[in-house]
Amino acid sequence: MRNTATMEAIQETLTQTMPEHELDEALQLIAEIRNLKKEKNLVILGHNYMTPDVFHGVSDFIGDSLGLARQAANTDAAIILFNGVHFMAETAKICNPDKKVLIADPEAGCSLAESITADDVRMLKARYPGVPVVTYVNCSAAVKAETDICCTSANALQVVESLADEAVIFLPDEYLARNIQQKTSKRIISWEQGKCMVHEQYTAEDLLHARRQFQDLLIISHPECNTDVTGASDFAGSTSQMADFIAKNKQENIMLVTECSMADNLRLQFPRRHFVSTCHTCPHMKKITLKKVRDAIINEQYAVEVPEHIQKPALRAVERMLAIG
Ligand code: 13P
Ligand code: SF4
C-alpha cells in the first residue's frame, strides 16, 4: 500500500503515540530523510512490524512480505531501502539485480531464515527425490535458489495447491507447514528446526485467558504460530490480511497474536477500536531505527549483494510465486 502522508499528517499521527521529547527528534529525522529520498531517487519499503515512527514517517510503501516483494519487483526508483529484515531486502535485490538495495542494519536477521542452509535443502531433495520444494520467503537467497517456488504467509496455501504433486517439501517454518497441512489433502514434509522466535512464544492458554477477560474479543493470529494457537483464533493470516480482517469486522476489542509493533501501527489506523496488547517483539525488526535509516541513505549503506549464480535460480522461484494472483 502506498503511503502518501504529509509531514502534518505524520506529526498528527505520531503525537498520539510518542512522548514529546522523542517526537521532536523523530520529526527532525523524518524531515531530513524525506528530503534525502527525493535527492537520491530512493524508495523506502516498510514492513508492518516497523515501529510507528519508521512505519508512518518515512515509508513510501507499507505492507506484508508479499505486498512489499511485489512493490520491489515493480519500482523504477534508482535505490531501494528496505525497512524490514535481511531476507526481505535480499528478495528485493533478487528482483532488482542491477539496482542498489540497502538495509539500515545488516544484522537484522530472522530465526526462521537462520534455521536452514542450502545444504539442508539439497539433503532433503536427495531424501525425497522428485518432490517439489516450496520455501517460505523467510529464508536466504541461497535457500530460495534450491527451491521450485516461494510463498509468503499470504499465499502459502494457494502456492501449495498450485502444484500437481501429491507431496510437497515445505520449508523452513514448521508451524506454517502444520497450518497448511490442516487445509490441504497433500502430504506436507516440513523442517522441524524452523520456528519464528516471536510467534512460538504464544500459547492457546494465552488466548483463552484473554477471551475470559475481554467480552466479544476478536483474536487474530499469524500462521507462524502453532496450530493450537491459530485454532483458538478467529482468523489467522499475513500481517496485511490481519489489517484487512479488522476493517471488515466490527468488534471493538481486538487481540493481535503477533509482533508488538503491528498493534501500535493498527491502533493509529483504527482509533475507535481497542487493541489488547500482547507484547512479544522481534529483536531483528527492532534494529531498524530512524537514525540508522538516515545514515543508510547518506552513506548508501548497507548494500545487499546476491551472486548471479544464486540470484538467477532464486528469481525463478520468486517470480513463479508472484505470477500466482
Ligand atoms: P508477513 O508476510 O505476514 O508480513 O510476515 C513476515 C514475518 O516475518 C512475520 O513474522
Ligand atoms: Fe523472523 Fe519471526 Fe522476526 Fe518475522 S517476527 S522476522 S519470522 S524472527
Side-chain angles (χ1 to χ4, degrees), residues 48-63:
N48 289 325
Y49 290 165
M50 292 293 99
T51 49
D53 52 350
V54 175
F55 184 77
H56 295 282
V58 299
S59 314
D60 295 295
F61 293 94
I62 47 181

Side-chain angles (χ1 to χ4, degrees), residues 195-317:
K195 307 270 179 345
C196 164
M197 63 194 289
V198 176
H199 293 98
E200 72 172 345
Q201 296 181 61
Y202 288 104
T203 66
E205 257 202 343
D206 298 337
L207 277 61
L208 292 178
H209 281 140
R211 279 211 199 276
R212 267 184 236 125
Q213 191 182 346
F214 298 95
Q215 279 194 348
D216 200 21
L217 181 67
L218 189 67
I219 301 187
I220 303 177
S221 62
H222 196 280
E224 287 171 10
C225 296
N226 204 349
T227 44
D228 55 349
V229 174
T230 53
S233 308
D234 299 296
F235 175 73
S238 81
T239 53
S240 289
Q241 289 172 338
M242 289 178 179
D244 294 345
F245 191 76
I246 293 169
K248 281 192 209 121
N249 286 274
K250 294 286 166 263
Q251 271 115 310
E252 194 190 325
N253 291 329
I254 298 163
M255 178 178 178
L256 288 180
V257 186
T258 191
E259 211 274 344
C260 218
S261 293
M262 187 73 202
D264 293 338
N265 291 323
L266 290 181
R267 240 179 228 115
L268 298 166
Q269 197 181 324
F270 297 98
R272 288 174 200 279
R273 316 298 268 285
H274 173 239
F275 286 86
V276 177
S277 285
T278 55
C279 239
H280 293 305
T281 52
C282 174
H284 299 292
M285 291 280 183
K286 299 291 96 87
K287 286 197 162 81
I288 308 300
T289 62
L290 281 178
K291 273 197 188 122
K292 289 188 199 170
V293 168
R294 189 260 325 263
D295 293 348
I297 304 177
I298 292 176
N299 302 319
E300 298 191 13
Q301 66 193 19
Y302 294 90
V304 176
E305 301 297 346
V306 180
E308 200 181 340
H309 71 280
I310 289 177
Q311 181 268 335
K312 283 200 179 330
L315 180 62
R316 264 199 302 277

Side-chain angles (χ1 to χ4, degrees), residues 165-182:
D165 311 70
E166 277 314 302
V168 169
I169 300 172
F170 188 99
L171 310 168
D173 188 347
E174 165 76 357
Y175 290 162
L176 180 59
R178 285 190 202 173
N179 277 295
I180 297 302
Q181 184 65 87
Q182 290 193 331

Side-chain angles (χ1 to χ4, degrees), residues 157 160-161 165-168 180-188:
L157 181 62
V160 166
E161 293 289 334
D165 311 70
E166 277 314 302
V168 169
I180 297 302
Q181 184 65 87
Q182 290 193 331
K183 294 182 176 158
T184 181
S185 57
K186 292 182 195 290
R187 177 178 166 226
I188 304 285

Side-chain angles (χ1 to χ4, degrees), residues 90-98 141-142 144-145 305-319:
E90 222 179 27
T91 306
K93 182 68 181 176
I94 290 166
C95 296
N96 296 278
D98 299 327
K144 288 184 179 76
E305 301 297 346
V306 180
E308 200 181 340
H309 71 280
I310 289 177
Q311 181 268 335
K312 283 200 179 330
L315 180 62
R316 264 199 302 277
V318 172
E319 281 185 337

Side-chain angles (χ1 to χ4, degrees), residues 71-109:
Q71 291 304 338
N74 290 328
T75 184
D76 48 19
I79 307 176
I80 300 169
L81 173 65
F82 209 117
N83 286 340
V85 291
H86 193 265
F87 77 79
M88 295 177 177
E90 222 179 27
T91 306
K93 182 68 181 176
I94 290 166
C95 296
N96 296 278
D98 299 327
K99 286 197 173 140
K100 196 174 263 189
V101 176
L102 307 175
I103 183 157
D105 188 328
E107 302 295 315

